[in-house]
Amino acid sequence: MAPSQEYALLCLENPLLDIQAQGDEALLTKYGLKANDAILAEEKHMPLYEDLLQNRDAKLIAGGAAQNTARAAQYLLPPNSTLFLGSVGEDKYAIILRESCTAAGLRAEYLTSTTSPTGTCGVIITGHNRSMCTHLAAANDYKISHLKSPEVWPLVQNATVYFVGGYHLTVCVDAVMALAEEAARENKVFMMSLSAPFIPMFFKEQLDRTQGYWDYVVGNEAEARAWAEGHGLETKDVAEIATHMAGLDKVNGKRKRTVIVTQGTEKTVVAVQGEEKVREFAVREVGKEEICDTTGAGDAFAGGFVAGIVEGKSLDECVDMGHWLASLSIKELGPQ
């Protein structure tokens, strides 16, 4: 069924402008980056962004994982279904992000930082791999006061599904928890993304604060294994990890927790709280010659999946919507 009111889906995380270019091993080595990874920028990485713009014919593409997910979900949902929250600067990059959201039919309610530039993500593509190096900048300035403001909080109360990207745990845990607690109190859906292996590894305490509220949690196999390692599970088996995560204590007992683990071209694993057997879903095949860029494929999957939740679809349908949108995404440059 269609959403019962406007802006049924609310997404929170870090709006970024992707500076994306083709690279090589030399470029990765120059900045100490891995071919297929996602990290937060350190001081040594700061020249990367201008390097990509000046020397690598970089493209500017609206990014930020949960913002990608929000745009993807809106692609499948009726007009005026999706709202995104985050923080940007007062600059041309913020204008590009706002225009991109408008073009996608996504409502962006940004907090505008007067002290930091809009966040950027350097994306180096090598073959079918992508290395992402994020300078949060203004995205790091998000405050719970914006979420609780008279202009925004009524939108929170109106929404029925909350999607939060794990990257925001490095920014404003209080805002994440406010959404989690509101969801549990009002029996709304709270969905969390693990985002990257460094989140469960280095922001374990922050992530653990949210886990009792997860109605849905999504991640890839590397993120799931990082979570398992951080919690002392002596297994790398994705099905076992997903089952363990599904069985964790839950604040809102009215909803069973569902854990979704994507594995690239391998089957997606889904575990549901209280069910003994995990379920596996084959992905949609895409020929190697059709693959342009895998950046944002996971975000697209999450967008398709959460759109299904908003529309009241079955679990099978939600996974299929995610797979379909991800298969479209990898045929385009950037998270289109």
Side-chain angles (χ1 to χ4, degrees), residues 11-74:
C11 303
L12 169 69
E13 206 190 47
N14 309 327
L16 304 170
L17 189 69
D18 287 352
I19 302 175
Q20 184 164 300
Q22 294 288 334
D24 50 33
E25 191 62 37
L27 184 62
L28 294 172
T29 301
K30 180 179 179 179
Y31 292 102
L33 299 171
K34 298 177 182 178
N36 199 29
D37 201 8
I39 65 168
L40 292 177
E42 301 173 25
E43 191 62 35
K44 66 180 181 180
H45 300 120
M46 291 307 161
L48 168 65
Y49 308 98
E50 194 63 25
D51 192 351
L52 293 176
L53 287 168
Q54 296 299 323
N55 303 314
R56 296 281 176 165
D57 191 28
K59 303 294 187 295
L60 300 179
I61 301 172
Q67 188 167 236
N68 295 338
T69 291
R71 289 163 55 215
Q74 183 55 63

Side-chain angles (χ1 to χ4, degrees), residues 272-313:
V272 178
Q273 190 173 34
E275 296 185 6
E276 290 185 11
K277 292 186 178 180
V278 300
R279 302 171 67 180
E280 295 185 335
F281 297 83
V283 303
R284 290 173 177 252
E285 290 188 20
V286 177
K288 288 185 178 180
E289 69 282 357
E290 296 182 88
I291 298 175
C292 177
D293 175 21
T294 59
T295 304
D299 305 336
F301 173 86
F305 188 97
V306 77
I309 293 172
V310 172
E311 293 194 313
K313 303 289 189 182

Side-chain angles (χ1 to χ4, degrees), residues 153-301:
W153 190 249
L155 297 170
V156 173
Q157 293 176 310
N158 173 74
T160 58
V161 178
Y162 303 143
F163 179 91
V164 178
Y167 289 123
H168 203 71
L169 294 173
T170 73
V171 175
C172 186
V173 180
D174 288 345
V176 178
M177 292 305 300
L179 291 179
E181 290 163 1
E182 174 73 5
R185 184 166 50 247
E186 300 297 331
N187 193 29
K188 298 179 179 182
V189 173
F190 182 79
M191 182 170 176
M192 191 89 191
S193 168
L194 295 177
S195 295
F198 78 82
I199 296 296
M201 290 174 65
F202 303 118
F203 293 87
K204 177 180 178 294
E205 181 180 346
Q206 294 90 329
L207 183 61
D208 284 354
R209 285 182 61 187
T210 71
Q211 70 183 22
Y213 296 89
W214 300 340
D215 295 315
Y216 296 87
V217 60
V218 61
N220 62 32
E221 73 276 32
E223 294 154 8
R225 287 170 179 147
W227 185 92
E229 182 179 346
H231 289 81
L233 271 64
E234 296 182 356
T235 180
K236 293 186 180 296
D237 184 89
V238 168
E240 290 182 23
I241 296 167
T243 300
H244 182 89
M245 294 175 75
L248 296 170
D249 290 342
K250 203 167 177 298
V251 175
N252 181 9
K254 296 177 182 179
R255 296 180 182 275
K256 293 182 178 181
R257 178 182 294 114
T258 301
V259 180
I260 309 103
V261 183
T262 61
Q263 303 186 92
T265 59
E266 301 299 317
K267 292 180 179 179
T268 294
V269 172
V270 178
V272 178
Q273 190 173 34
E275 296 185 6
E276 290 185 11
K277 292 186 178 180
V278 300
R279 302 171 67 180
E280 295 185 335
F281 297 83
V283 303
R284 290 173 177 252
E285 290 188 20
V286 177
K288 288 185 178 180
E289 69 282 357
E290 296 182 88
I291 298 175
C292 177
D293 175 21
T294 59
T295 304
D299 305 336
F301 173 86

